[in-house]
Amino acid sequence: MWRRFSITFGLAGLVLVLDQLSKSWAQSALPRLGREGITVVAGCFNLAYAENRSAAFGLLEKLPYETRRMVLTGFAIAAIMVLVGLLVTNRVQRPWTVCATGLILGGAVGNVIDRTRLGFVIDFIVWHIGEKFYWPTFNIADSGIVVGVFILLWVSYWVDRRAAVQAR
C-alpha cells in the first residue's frame, strides 16, 4: 500500500513542481504576443504566454467569469477527492493505473493552484501545423492530466479486454 502511495504522490509532486516552475518561468520570460510567442520549431512548436480563464477548447466560456471559475475549481477538487478516495480504498492497484492517478492528481492540483491564486490558468505550450491549425495552448499540468487519462483508457480498454479474452 505504501508503495502505491509513494509512486502516486511522487509522480503527482513531480508534475506539480514542474508545472508551477514552468508557469512561473512562462509568466516572467515569455512575451504576450498571442500564439506566435517564441518559435522553438518553425511551423510546429512555439512557447507563448496565455491566461486561460475558461477550460480546454473554450468550454464554459459563455458562463459568467466567477461562475465558470467556481465550476472549474469545484470539478477539479471533486476529481482530486475521487482519485485519492480510489487510491485509499485500494481500487487503484495496477502499476499503470497508479502512475496515471499520480499524473492526473499532479495536473489537477497545479491548475487548481493557478485558479485559486491567480483566477486563471497559465498556459504556454503551442503546437500547430503551419499557420492554419493551432492546437489550444496548454501547460505541464494539462499534459499530466491528458497522459494520465489516456493511460487509464488504455488499461481499461486494451489490458482488461485482453485479460477477458485470455480468461475464456
Side-chain angles (χ1 to χ4, degrees):
M1 180 165 104
W2 290 112
R3 186 165 191 253
R4 284 184 300 114
F5 281 22
S6 298
I7 292 169
T8 300
F9 291 114
L11 272 174
L14 178 64
V15 169
L16 179 60
V17 167
L18 291 174
D19 176 63
Q20 292 298 299
L21 287 174
S22 64
K23 287 174 179 174
S24 177
W25 170 81
Q27 195 171 29
S28 65
L30 291 177
R32 284 131 173 94
L33 301 172
R35 294 186 274 196
E36 290 74 35
I38 297 172
T39 300
V40 177
V41 178
C44 180
F45 178 50
N46 299 349
L47 296 174
Y49 178 85
E51 295 175 356
N52 186 351
R53 288 175 165 73
S54 190
F57 306 105
L59 295 173
L60 306 178
E61 68 186 352
K62 299 228 190 277
L63 290 176
Y65 170 71
E66 279 304 319
T67 304
R68 182 177 47 219
R69 183 176 167 197
M70 296 302 283
V71 167
L72 292 171
T73 302
F75 179 77
I77 290 171
I80 291 165
M81 291 170 54
V82 166
L83 289 172
V84 170
L86 290 171
L87 186 66
V88 169
T89 59
N90 292 324
R91 293 207 170 103
V92 176
Q93 292 193 358
R94 291 183 177 154
W96 282 108
T97 56
V98 168
C99 291
T101 301
L103 293 172
I104 296 167
L105 276 174
V109 171
N111 284 341
V112 164
I113 288 171
D114 278 12
R115 281 199 201 287
T116 303
R117 186 173 61 94
L118 304 169
F120 54 84
V121 173
I122 296 172
D123 289 333
F124 61 92
I125 301 169
V126 183
W127 287 102
H128 59 99
I129 300 171
E131 299 305 314
K132 301 215 182 242
F133 174 78
Y134 280 82
W135 189 255
T137 307
F138 62 101
N139 57 46
I140 302 294
D142 298 337
S143 299
I145 293 167
V146 169
V147 170
V149 167
F150 275 116
I151 290 170
L152 289 178
L153 291 172
W154 172 71
V155 167
S156 67
Y157 183 75
W158 292 106
V159 175
D160 289 348
R161 184 176 176 195
R162 194 165 160 204
V165 167
Q166 289 175 347
R168 291 183 197 167

